[in-house]
Amino acid sequence: MAKGKKVTVIGTGNFGSTVAFILAMNGACHNVLLRGRDYNKAKGKALDMSQAANAARQHTVVRAAKGPEDMADSDIVVITAGAPRTPGMSRDDLLTKNADIVKKYSEEIREYAPDAVVIVVSNPLDVMTYVAQKVTGFPRERVLGMAGILDAARMAHFIYEKLEYGAGQIRATVMGGHGDTMVPLPKFTTVAGVPIEDLLDAEQIGEIVQKTRTGGAEIVNLLGDGSAYYAPAKSTAIMVEAMLRDTKQIHSCAIMLENDYGYSGIVSGVPVMIGAGGGEEVIKMSLKPLQQERFAKSVASVQEMVDKLYELKFFDKEA
């Protein structure tokens, strides 16, 4: 990555703004660019964040984009733009609406930031990652979806609620699509190295798995007029930092599968080693038969939505 390190965040709502703010506060990059529909709003938020960075004694400068050409030389572009879920709405309901938005920005990235790594967080996450990868034409390691880190964080929180100890020491693992068919993996989940299967019984673990799958919907219902953004934004920033600092950390991310776990040509969440090149390597884990079955169901759910886009000739149309 180039010296100075530039990250563009597309979308200036709660989610995108929080991602940009976290990056400004931790000094992971020198430049953050906010790209939104309302230039004055983006400029106001950028000015506020830049002043906050000075208060924090950080070197990061946040600016607003006047047009897509300002994305030039971005090391990473984060796509947060899209309609949020409202109560009673599933991630799948957002399919065509957000696909049009992600397609538009993916075309801009392809033209103005052709060397960037793209992180997609718009829902339905796995399908939007598929759209971004297909439209940009980038190699799969440069188009990732953020989901697994968030889902694992939610699972860790629900484990802590049960145990009432171990906060900060819980390492949860979640695979599959970001939705009701996600696959939390108790087998690979520990508290300070101790398997949760040694700490909780099967019924308790089952409750945690179910709460993890519906964790986002719970927040949507409580808020009433939007969706979660603090935990998703922090999870996204973790991915950005891993790339900017070339840490080679392993996180569960949505990526185009290429003969991984028995699948190709479809996006799903799997453990990925993240570095300066993006998703540099998919990590293979040994799944139990039931976990394989659930992963297959999750992949099929994403494939169904992708097939729907092809039926609508979505990729043949102008954005």
Side-chain angles (χ1 to χ4, degrees):
M1 290 186 177
K3 291 181 179 179
K5 298 175 180 176
K6 176 179 177 181
V7 178
T8 293
V9 180
I10 298 175
T12 55
N14 288 332
F15 194 157
S17 297
T18 306
V19 171
F21 182 70
I22 292 171
L23 295 175
M25 288 298 94
N26 62 22
C29 56
H30 184 62
N31 293 293
V32 174
L33 183 73
L34 280 177
R35 170 117 168 85
R37 290 176 298 177
D38 186 329
Y39 173 68
N40 284 335
K41 184 177 181 180
K43 187 175 181 180
K45 289 189 174 186
L47 184 60
D48 196 10
M49 289 182 206
S50 290
Q51 292 168 0
N54 276 282
R57 300 291 192 267
Q58 294 292 355
H59 61 84
T60 304
V61 178
V62 186
R63 295 184 175 90
K66 290 184 177 179
E69 63 278 2
D70 290 341
M71 293 193 292
D73 299 320
S74 293
D75 296 292
I76 300 168
V77 179
V78 181
I79 303 177
T80 75
R85 278 199 296 169
T86 55
M89 178 185 287
S90 72
R91 292 183 177 92
D92 299 357
D93 292 334
L94 298 176
L95 180 60
T96 54
K97 187 173 186 177
N98 282 353
D100 285 333
I101 295 171
V102 171
K103 184 178 183 182
K104 171 183 179 293
Y105 287 119
S106 296
E107 289 175 338
E108 291 182 358
I109 293 167
R110 183 180 63 199
E111 181 174 357
Y112 296 103
D115 298 319
V117 178
V118 181
I119 299 175
V120 181
V121 293
S122 307
N123 277 318
L125 187 283
D126 303 88
V127 186
M128 295 304 105
T129 304
Y130 184 98
V131 170
Q133 201 276 329
K134 285 294 181 181
V135 174
T136 61
F138 291 175
R140 70 161 181 168
E141 60 267 21
R142 290 205 286 124
V143 183
L144 301 175
M146 188 294 296
I149 299 173
L150 171 62
D151 296 331
R154 286 172 173 164
M155 186 176 181
H157 172 75
F158 295 133
I159 290 169
Y160 173 74
E161 281 189 337
K162 287 286 186 187
L163 293 175
E164 296 187 338
Y165 61 80
Q169 296 180 302
I170 302 169
R171 300 291 178 264
T173 303
V174 180
M175 284 180 58
H178 183 52
D180 296 340
T181 61
M182 71 177 71
V183 188
L185 297 172
K187 174 186 176 184
F188 299 102
T189 299
T190 62
V191 182
V194 180
I196 63 163
E197 292 171 341
D198 293 345
L199 302 173
L200 298 168
D201 62 35
E203 182 179 347
Q204 291 172 316
I205 292 173
E207 290 175 7
I208 290 167
V209 166
Q210 184 56 34
K211 289 194 73 173
T212 301
R213 290 188 179 124
T214 59
E218 180 183 6
I219 294 173
V220 168
N221 291 333
L222 288 169
L223 292 176
D225 61 352
S227 55
Y229 53 91
Y230 291 122
K234 177 58 180 177
S235 300
T236 304
I238 287 170
M239 289 180 65
V240 172
E241 291 165 33
M243 293 173 193
L244 293 176
R245 293 171 175 157
D246 195 24
T247 62
K248 313 296 186 187
Q249 292 178 337
I250 297 173
H251 295 290
S252 184
C253 306
I255 190 171
M256 184 70 75
L257 302 181
E258 295 178 358
N259 197 26
D260 302 298
Y261 293 89
Y263 299 93
S264 294
I266 191 63
V267 170
S268 193
V270 293
V272 178
M273 186 265 283
I274 303 177
E280 297 182 355
E281 182 180 346
V282 171
I283 307 301
K284 176 65 176 176
M285 296 195 304
S286 177
L287 302 180
K288 296 177 181 178
L290 181 58
Q291 293 168 339
Q292 292 176 359
E293 181 182 323
R294 288 173 175 166
F295 184 67
K297 181 180 179 182
S298 183
V299 170
S301 176
V302 177
Q303 185 68 63
E304 184 178 343
M305 287 186 282
V306 169
D307 289 344
K308 190 176 298 183
L309 289 179
Y310 278 104
E311 288 171 13
L312 296 170
K313 300 188 183 302
F314 173 79
F315 294 100
D316 299 331
K317 298 183 295 185
E318 293 293 328

